[in-house]
Amino acid sequence: MLSVKHVNKSYKKGGLFTRERQQVLSNISFDWQQGECLGIIGESGSGKSTLGQLLLGINEPDQGRILWDGKRVKDRKTRLGNISAVFQDYTSSINPFYTVEQALMEPLMLHKKMRQAHQGNIDQLLHQVGLDSSYRQKYAHELSGGEAQRVCIARAVSTEPRCIVLDEAISSLDGSVQIQILELLKNLKTMYSMGYIFITHDIRAAAYICDRVMILRNGHIVEIVNVEQLKDVQSPYARHLLQMVIT
Amino acid sequence: MNSLEVSNLKIWDSRTGKVLVPHSSFHVKQRSCLAIVGESGSGKSLTCRAIMRLNKALLHQSGEILLQGVNLTKLSEKEMRKKRGKQLCMIVQNGMRAFDPSCVVGVHLKETLAWHYGWGRDDITVKMKRAMESVMLKDPLAIMNSYPHQLSGGMLQRVMIALAIVLEPDVVIADEPTTALDTITQFEVIEQFIQLRTRMNCAMIFVSHDLAVVKRIADEMLVMKDGAIVERGATRDIFSAAQHEYTRFLVSTGLTLDHHFNKIMGGVSHAEC
């Protein structure tokens, strides 16, 4: 279980000598339950990607704590095998000098006990994300966007984490490929009984996959709501946001 | 009357001889909007850039492109430059890359307008101010004095639309203008596109892979696959009764998300409220 308590984060503003800081997240608190899919929705600049970075421990909050089963998420050992990530930009997520096989082996090599066990499982991983074993020797630039994103998902799944943070993972893909990836994520979720934190600006996609949705605005949590109750949102901003969806 | 007529357009790579767009013909009527739909790599952007004659030198093209009866393929580069912007306007996907990062946005606007119309500085400022206010940009003067990196993607996209309004082109080509934007800005930019059409007598080519957006804005649509046009027709017909298997696949997958969303929202279409 992941719990976020009173997290604040600010960045230094532009100029070399200014002390001014821009508040990106203020007083964020929420809990993520095991096996749940939590959506984080917001406009660009609302701080959702920063929040994703904090959850992954690649960035540190100014104040507040982020705990995974009571241990600090900043600590590598806490994250190992528990949290992994898939990012939006699939072209820069895979080392260009690595083949797909090497890319998939990368997280497994860090995982001592998995090293031998998973040697032969690359094929199975690829198969699970809808690719066949002919992809093992391919390089990242030979893959299309959807294929590259599948490899990234396979890599995130390989250590069988309990939570995957997906930061705009489907936003730069085509409509039909988006659906395929969403279906894939749904299947993997039941297969590995893991959960997601799904960061996106696409409310429709979030409604499709998430159990619970958090709406973020200017670094504040506006509302956290179950997907079934999405139409009954209370705050004016959340309503406005839902009306803006083009269907 | 047809604003733009493309016939037998063929695009190929001169190094490998690989044909990227084999044989494509279509036309856009005045005051109508044609959407080009397809997955990435289907040749949508290539077709747009071929109309603008902005493809890389290694990509060769043949066929006829008639803009108000003038064949663009026969024009010299110098004459073509006069057409670009003034008669053919292109709005690209990424606003950040469309403007010169080393000068303020106003410089770009002044340069473009001075080149095409020879207007003076004050004239331009007044006209741009009016256009920018009409696309819901607050404080136009401050925007003209800021650098592209200081503005958001949606704002830059609207600055480009404002410029298109002032230029009064015959054809506006919008190449995935909303793909890089978030939901709220996307909605606002689409609204501006719809207004742009009603306000001016221009024809529009709207390239997108987002079918929800296409459904909202386009009168007619083309479906492209691997460079070839597989289906064409009125937007309503294609959404209700697509002939080609690929189109049906695109429409059904594209609408899966919408249906699910509408189901959650209680079957009420919220875009119209």
Side-chain angles (χ1 to χ4, degrees):
Chain A
M1 198 187 89
L2 191 68
S3 69
V4 178
K5 285 175 190 156
H6 308 291
V7 163
N8 284 295
K9 177 77 188 170
S10 62
Y11 288 126
K12 223 173 113 180
K13 239 182 185 175
L16 199 55
F17 298 109
T18 53
R19 287 266 178 89
E20 232 182 312
R21 296 182 78 88
Q22 184 170 13
Q23 194 73 21
V24 186
L25 293 171
S26 37
N27 200 14
I28 301 281
S29 305
F30 65 92
D31 284 322
W32 174 85
Q33 306 296 337
Q34 171 77 36
E36 171 189 48
C37 181
L38 173 72
I40 300 179
I41 306 179
E43 293 176 64
S44 27
S46 59
K48 50 189 193 317
S49 288
T50 304
L51 181 57
Q53 287 174 5
L54 296 180
L55 296 177
L56 287 168
I58 37 184
N59 207 336
E60 238 177 326
D62 298 340
Q63 279 137 31
R65 283 181 302 170
I66 300 173
L67 301 173
W68 175 272
D69 283 343
K71 288 186 219 132
R72 286 179 59 226
V73 84
K74 181 71 191 160
D75 194 358
R76 259 166 190 275
K77 286 196 190 106
T78 323
R79 299 200 304 262
L80 187 67
N82 283 328
I83 305 185
S84 55
V86 178
F87 296 102
Q88 174 174 16
D89 192 357
Y90 43 79
T91 48
S92 62
S93 300
I94 303 173
N95 187 335
F97 292 105
Y98 278 11
T99 59
V100 168
E101 183 173 349
Q102 283 171 309
L104 290 176
M105 283 306 287
E106 207 182 353
L108 296 174
M109 296 303 275
L110 291 169
H111 228 276
K112 272 190 198 129
K113 56 175 188 270
M114 296 240 186
R115 203 175 292 170
Q116 286 92 31
H118 263 280
Q119 200 77 13
N121 281 5
I122 300 288
D123 281 344
Q124 199 198 330
L125 274 173
L126 283 172
H127 183 71
Q128 273 163 4
V129 294
L131 303 172
D132 57 52
S133 45
S134 66
Y135 282 90
R136 282 176 83 141
Q137 298 310 321
K138 284 194 180 177
Y139 286 92
H141 66 268
E142 297 173 280
L143 306 174
S144 71
E147 286 165 357
Q149 201 59 290
R150 280 165 202 265
V151 172
C152 291
I153 292 170
R155 183 177 57 180
V157 170
S158 64
T159 54
E160 298 183 14
R162 279 151 66 196
C163 176
I164 300 183
V165 177
L166 299 140
D167 188 356
E168 301 274 14
I170 59 158
S171 301
S172 41
L173 300 171
D174 283 345
S176 52
V177 185
Q178 277 188 358
I179 296 282
Q180 290 165 13
I181 299 286
L182 285 173
E183 288 296 338
L184 168 68
L185 289 172
K186 272 190 169 178
N187 292 339
L188 289 174
K189 193 180 166 208
T190 46
M191 204 186 292
Y192 287 97
S193 63
M194 57 185 175
Y196 300 124
I197 292 178
F198 192 81
I199 301 173
T200 185
H201 65 249
D202 188 348
I203 302 168
R204 290 179 300 155
Y208 193 71
I209 192 171
C210 294
D211 307 316
R212 215 155 52 113
V213 176
M214 179 169 110
I215 296 167
L216 210 61
R217 185 194 195 187
N218 298 335
H220 295 269
I221 295 179
V222 176
E223 207 164 340
I224 299 182
V225 66
N226 284 334
V227 159
E228 298 82 44
Q229 275 118 42
L230 197 61
K231 64 170 184 288
D232 307 317
V233 282
Q234 298 302 317
S235 56
Y237 175 73
R239 288 201 179 168
H240 180 66
L241 198 72
L242 289 171
Q243 277 169 14
M244 291 293 169
V245 178
I246 300 169
T247 51
Chain B
M1 194 189 129
N2 291 337
S3 270
L4 185 79
E5 225 175 311
V6 177
S7 45
N8 299 328
L9 178 70
K10 180 180 169 188
I11 306 170
W12 71 93
D13 192 331
S14 64
R15 283 169 303 180
T16 54
K18 194 181 167 202
V19 179
L20 302 165
V21 174
H23 184 86
S24 115
S25 307
F26 57 91
H27 56 85
V28 193
K29 291 191 198 77
Q30 201 170 358
R31 311 197 69 157
S32 80
C33 176
L34 174 81
I36 304 182
V37 177
E39 288 176 307
S40 31
S42 60
K44 307 180 301 251
S45 299
L46 220 56
T47 310
C48 288
R49 286 205 294 264
I51 295 168
M52 295 290 281
R53 282 188 34 199
L54 282 173
N55 272 323
K56 300 255 158 57
L58 286 165
L59 295 177
H60 290 215
Q61 64 187 70
S62 71
E64 279 195 331
I65 300 165
L66 294 173
L67 175 72
Q68 311 278 31
V70 182
N71 192 344
L72 295 180
T73 50
K74 295 282 191 305
L75 295 179
S76 69
E77 187 55 31
K78 206 176 166 188
E79 287 168 307
M80 191 63 208
R81 282 198 78 167
K82 284 188 188 149
K83 297 271 179 206
R84 280 187 209 127
K86 196 172 181 182
Q87 284 188 285
L88 270 172
C89 217
M90 185 146 168
I91 292 168
V92 295
Q93 179 178 357
N94 198 328
M96 291 287 180
R97 291 183 203 153
F99 289 93
D100 185 345
S102 66
C103 34
V104 294
V105 172
V107 172
H108 176 110
L109 302 177
K110 273 171 203 152
E111 236 171 38
T112 315
L113 290 169
W115 165 268
H116 287 297
Y117 288 99
W119 291 336
R121 197 182 150 161
D122 299 333
D123 228 7
I124 289 172
T125 315
V126 171
K127 286 199 167 96
M128 273 315 294
K129 196 164 167 257
R130 205 180 303 143
M132 280 160 95
E133 274 161 0
S134 73
V135 292
M136 316 291 279
L137 284 169
K138 290 165 213 134
D139 203 359
L141 291 177
I143 290 174
M144 278 192 259
N145 283 319
S146 39
Y147 288 91
H149 71 267
Q150 295 172 309
L151 303 172
S152 70
M155 279 165 108
L156 288 170
Q157 213 67 291
R158 277 180 282 174
V159 172
M160 271 197 272
I161 297 173
L163 181 61
I165 290 172
V166 177
L167 284 165
E168 296 179 345
D170 298 318
V171 179
V172 175
I173 301 175
D175 188 1
E176 309 239 10
T178 59
T179 315
L181 305 175
D182 63 56
T183 319
I184 288 194
T185 3
Q186 185 178 40
F187 183 82
E188 282 163 1
V189 169
I190 290 295
E191 283 301 302
Q192 291 313 319
F193 268 105
I194 292 169
Q195 290 209 359
L196 179 74
R197 274 189 58 203
T198 49
R199 206 179 307 159
M200 301 193 321
N201 278 331
C202 67
M204 191 183 283
I205 298 180
F206 195 93
V207 176
S208 184
H209 65 244
D210 190 341
L211 288 167
V213 171
V214 167
K215 201 174 168 185
R216 198 163 161 77
I217 196 167
D219 306 313
E220 286 177 72
M221 64 192 264
L222 293 179
V223 182
M224 286 185 80
K225 193 193 183 206
D226 302 330
I229 298 173
V230 293
E231 187 155 3
R232 64 180 81 205
T235 312
R236 198 171 300 162
D237 299 344
I238 288 188
F239 272 98
S240 57
Q243 300 298 316
H244 197 275
E245 198 180 330
Y246 179 69
T247 320
R248 276 204 293 271
F249 165 72
L250 270 190
V251 171
S252 65
T253 51
L255 296 179
T256 316
L257 279 186
D258 291 346
H259 286 319
H260 188 84
F261 183 71
N262 284 336
K263 209 167 79 189
I264 285 180
M265 299 304 290
V268 193
S269 179
H270 278 253
E272 270 84 29
C273 334

